[in-house]
Amino acid sequence: MTEHPTSHEGRQPLAARSQERTRPRQRDAASAAAPATAAIPAPAKGPAPATAGTGPPAGPDPQAVARREGDRLRFVGAATRRIARGIDLDEIVLGLCRASVPTFSDAILVYLRDPLPVGDERPVNPFVLRLRRSDRLRLSDEDTDNLSESERLRLPAVDPQADLTPAAELCEVLAGGALAEVLRGVRPVFGDSAAARVALPELLGADRVVPSGHRAILAPLRGRRRVIGAAVFLRGTERPPFEANDLLVAAQLATHTALGIDKAVLYGREAYIADELQRTMLPDSLPQPTGVRLASRYLPAAETARVGGDWYDAIPLPGSRVALVVGDVMGHSMTSAAIMGQLRTTAQTLAGLDLPPQEVLHHLDEQAQRLGSDRMATCLYAVYDPVAHRITIANAGHPPPVLLHLGGRAEVLKVPPGAPIGVGGVDFEAVELDAPAGATLLLYTDGLVESRLRDVWTGIEQLRERLAATARLTGPDHSPPLEALCDDVLDMLGPGDRDDDIALLAARFDGIAPSDVAYWFLEPEDSAPGRARRLARRALSRWGLDDIADSVELLVSEVVTNAVRYAERPVTLRLLRTDILRCEVGDDSPQLPRQRRARDMDEGGRGLFLVNRLARRWGATRLSTGKVVWFEMPPRGQ
């Protein structure tokens, strides 16, 4: 609840009015008949009593009445425009409070249903109203020094010097009660009406005193389908009471507020759905594969366009490799996000088959055509091998990546552009490039480099220069921190550069040194497991990992034995030493091993049980040429 320090527009300051009450109250007839000037004028005073020699009493001045009604209409128009400007719930309720106080009332309390129903959603029981906001005309001490005690308001919610918080925070609307009847009637009522005299204490609290006269209006807030709250307008004794026409003003304010709240609740639900959809379409976190560090960013185009078709992904592959993907589905809508989700899932499935990058784009193109003839997207798919220090890239109409070298040189990689996904009938070409240790590869969508103020190639050149300038700050021997580099790249965006959503994926190549890799080919013979054990022990001894040699030797023997049983071509054995020890055994059989419980009399079936118990992690991946079974062991028996 907030206080609204303001003064009544068009009225005398209260301090001046207070001083006038200390003066003699002789006023001439002209001053007694003059109406108060206010945005919502006071009702016209009654006709002056007839005196001898004068004609019949004069009726209300038609010009004053017309002026009053014109002011009232102008106020309603300005107030409803202010309410309509709000987008979310708080802005709309604040607009009602600021429009009402002090022009229409000295205080206002706004109660809303808790929780607010959304659209056709059935509201929960019981019917509870919660005080959402209150505002009042706040006066300084000098404004009230000359007020007598009888002139002060006895209702704390109306008293300018009292706090509004004593008003009940929660109110349960009882079925068949007076408050329920007033809310069901929809029309605003005066506080001294028969129904409101019981309904107001039920809403504000049993210890609250309803002000006498037409100084309170209880206005139900009805949305498109149901009552969603109530507003209470209060006036103090320093201003005239409400008129009958003020009920129409309160009805207009309540109607526009309720419809705006309905709109805001629906918009909030749609924004929540959009945020959840976008969040679930993008990876919750990036993997941490061996030999590469990753960082990412995603920015929506604007608050009003929270969903889009941009995505990024990093997918671990067999052999300690990793697939780096960034794509952009055309458009900003739920449909674009849904198509993006399908393409991302398809890319993950294709990556699991370990297809070459150009084949992945070819299958993505076919999938986009199955989704519809107008489903267009761009995509860049890269595979990084930390052992070979090479990267293979295929492009489908996407902006080229930028490679930042360790010395500070930034270059735009020359990758064949290709046609966008969804065109159909085109071939994609892959290129293999060096990926030196310490270099950083930046993949991005066109929202980062293209806007209404610049074309895409101008933006790419600005990006390249920004990366080079950032690298120069860290020196030639050190790469800039990855997270800070992503933030610095986004800082290049100007006020007019956010026309599209942005996906950014940065990969820092650390690689795996050749001295930390041991690789052998084993013929599919009965002697292969024994030879694999000797080779593995020899490599572990060279690396100083003798304390885990027995466990690794046992697991290598079990995995190689299983591979030799089904292989027709040489079996591969590779050991990788990083922060963990990783063992990979590959063969040409596509059948994946499956752990099962061996019976007491079975001679086999216990190999994978041992792998599962002794290894930190293990798995099997099907390749286009067979499969790879791998396991990881903590170094030094951790």
Side-chain angles (χ1 to χ4, degrees), residues 279-280 282-289 294-296 312-316 344 348 505:
R279 185 185 63 81
T280 55
L282 296 174
D284 291 332
S285 60
L286 293 174
Q288 298 180 359
L294 303 173
S296 63
Y312 61 88
D313 212 343
I315 310 165
R344 177 173 175 243
Q348 290 178 330
L505 179 62

Side-chain angles (χ1 to χ4, degrees), residues 92-128:
I92 293 171
V93 174
L94 176 62
L96 171 64
C97 294
R98 293 294 168 85
S100 303
V101 179
T103 310
F104 182 65
S105 62
D106 291 333
I108 183 175
L109 299 100
V110 181
Y111 284 82
L112 295 181
R113 196 161 190 158
D114 186 29
L116 277 168
V118 180
D120 294 325
E121 182 181 282
R122 186 173 181 177
V124 299
N125 288 322
F127 186 169
V128 176

Side-chain angles (χ1 to χ4, degrees), residues 60-68:
D61 185 358
Q63 293 183 352
V65 172
R67 185 166 55 252
R68 243 185 353 263

Side-chain angles (χ1 to χ4, degrees), residues 189-418:
V189 294
F190 286 121
D192 60 352
S193 64
R197 277 198 299 268
V198 182
L200 275 176
E202 182 182 344
L203 177 64
L204 303 178
D207 57 339
R208 310 309 294 274
V209 179
V210 179
S212 60
H214 290 182
R215 298 193 177 277
I217 293 178
L218 175 56
L221 303 177
R222 178 176 176 83
R224 293 174 177 84
R225 294 173 178 84
R226 59 183 65 86
V227 174
I228 58 174
V232 181
F233 302 92
L234 303 165
R235 278 188 182 178
T237 56
E238 288 304 304
R239 65 190 298 180
F242 292 110
E243 293 180 311
N245 285 342
D246 289 328
L247 291 177
L248 300 178
V249 175
Q252 285 288 325
L253 298 179
T255 299
H256 283 274
T257 302
L259 294 177
I261 290 173
D262 258 1
K263 175 189 67 176
V265 171
L266 287 172
Y267 172 77
R269 174 61 62 86
E270 291 180 357
Y272 170 78
I273 293 173
D275 287 341
E276 285 296 300
L277 177 62
Q278 189 71 64
R279 185 185 63 81
T280 55
M281 293 298 180
L282 296 174
D284 291 332
S285 60
L286 293 174
Q288 298 180 359
T290 302
V292 61
R293 285 172 286 168
L294 303 173
S296 63
R297 295 291 186 273
Y298 176 81
L299 292 179
E303 286 295 320
T304 55
R306 304 187 182 207
V307 291
D310 291 17
W311 91 90
Y312 61 88
D313 212 343
I315 310 165
L317 299 178
S320 299
R321 296 171 299 145
V322 60
L324 308 174
V325 191
V326 65
D328 183 4
V329 177
M330 297 181 182
H332 301 92
S333 65
M334 295 286 190
T335 302
S336 300
I339 295 172
M340 176 266 284
Q342 295 183 67
L343 293 179
R344 177 173 175 243
T345 302
T346 303
Q348 290 178 330
T349 304
L350 296 171
L353 299 176
D354 200 25
L355 298 177
Q358 64 272 23
E359 290 296 322
V360 172
L361 294 184
H362 174 73
H363 289 293
L364 284 176
D365 180 60
E366 292 180 338
Q367 175 67 9
Q369 293 179 68
R370 284 191 290 268
L371 295 176
S373 58
D374 57 342
R375 308 309 187 195
M376 303 285 289
T378 63
C379 182
L380 192 143
Y381 188 94
V383 175
Y384 170 63
D385 189 341
V387 176
H389 295 269
R390 302 282 288 177
I391 186 167
T392 306
I393 306 175
N395 191 8
H398 203 78
V402 179
L403 184 65
L404 178 63
H405 293 268
L406 181 60
R409 181 173 63 91
E411 64 169 326
V412 180
L413 297 182
K414 296 180 179 180
V415 179

Side-chain angles (χ1 to χ4, degrees), residues 96-162:
L96 171 64
C97 294
R98 293 294 168 85
S100 303
V101 179
T103 310
F104 182 65
S105 62
D106 291 333
I108 183 175
L109 299 100
V110 181
Y111 284 82
L112 295 181
R113 196 161 190 158
D114 186 29
L116 277 168
V118 180
D120 294 325
E121 182 181 282
R122 186 173 181 177
V124 299
N125 288 322
F127 186 169
V128 176
L129 293 178
R130 179 183 293 274
L131 182 61
R132 182 77 185 194
R133 188 180 182 89
S134 62
D135 247 335
R136 64 186 172 97
L137 175 64
R138 185 177 182 180
L139 307 176
S140 61
D141 293 337
E142 63 181 31
D143 292 331
T144 56
D145 284 343
N146 296 323
L147 293 179
S148 64
E149 191 65 28
S150 60
E151 290 174 319
R152 299 178 185 272
L153 299 171
R154 289 180 296 174
L155 182 65
V158 187
D159 189 347
Q161 290 301 305

